[in-house]
Amino acid sequence: QVQLVESGGGLVQAGGSLRLSCVVSGRTFSNYVMGWFRQAPGKEREFVAVVRRNSIATYYSDSVKGRFAISRDDAKSATYLQMNSLKPEDTAAYYCATYRSGLFERVGSYDYWGQGTQVTVSS
């Protein structure tokens, strides 16, 4: 059974930083592209970042480019999202997911999801 568990969310002031973690079990982590998404109340889930196998490439949404950094540690079956210069509009539940096929930015391109971790940025 595949499980993804996120952690690291919390309340932070604007301009601050947080580091989210996602640990995957039940599959060979190194074989998979990993993504992060977020969902604010009343809004659709949106793409944040993705890291390819062997960390050969990363991609970001325009809204977080230059402020967030995605990484992975295959030895720990984990992916991370370092979030700097946080803004109130970054407030959302953040989810990690395993990529299956299709466009990286599409929710439907991912097959397994974590339960989410809440990030709240105060102004």
Side-chain angles (χ1 to χ4, degrees), residues 4-106:
L4 290 76
V5 179
E6 301 100 335
S7 61
L11 174 63
V12 63
Q13 288 188 334
S17 298
L18 281 175
R19 187 190 191 217
L20 306 183
S21 300
C22 169
V23 177
V24 180
S25 61
R27 60 170 34 174
T28 304
F29 179 80
S30 59
N31 289 345
Y32 294 93
V33 175
M34 294 297 301
W36 283 93
F37 285 73
R38 66 186 182 185
Q39 187 167 18
K43 294 188 176 182
E44 293 186 352
R45 193 167 295 189
E46 66 172 4
F47 169 78
V48 174
V50 67
V51 57
R52 301 192 71 161
R53 290 179 292 174
N54 298 317
S55 301
I56 59 173
T58 58
Y59 304 98
Y60 299 90
S61 67
D62 288 342
S63 61
V64 307
K65 198 174 297 181
R67 300 187 298 121
F68 290 12
I70 188 172
S71 61
R72 63 188 297 157
D73 184 338
D74 289 349
K76 296 182 178 179
S77 296
T79 180
Y80 307 98
L81 187 68
Q82 177 66 43
M83 306 186 296
N84 300 324
S85 302
L86 282 161
K87 305 175 182 180
E89 50 263 45
D90 295 318
T91 295
Y94 283 72
Y95 301 87
C96 64
T98 55
Y99 172 79
R100 179 185 58 210
S101 64
L103 295 175
F104 288 146
E105 298 84 357
R106 289 187 68 247

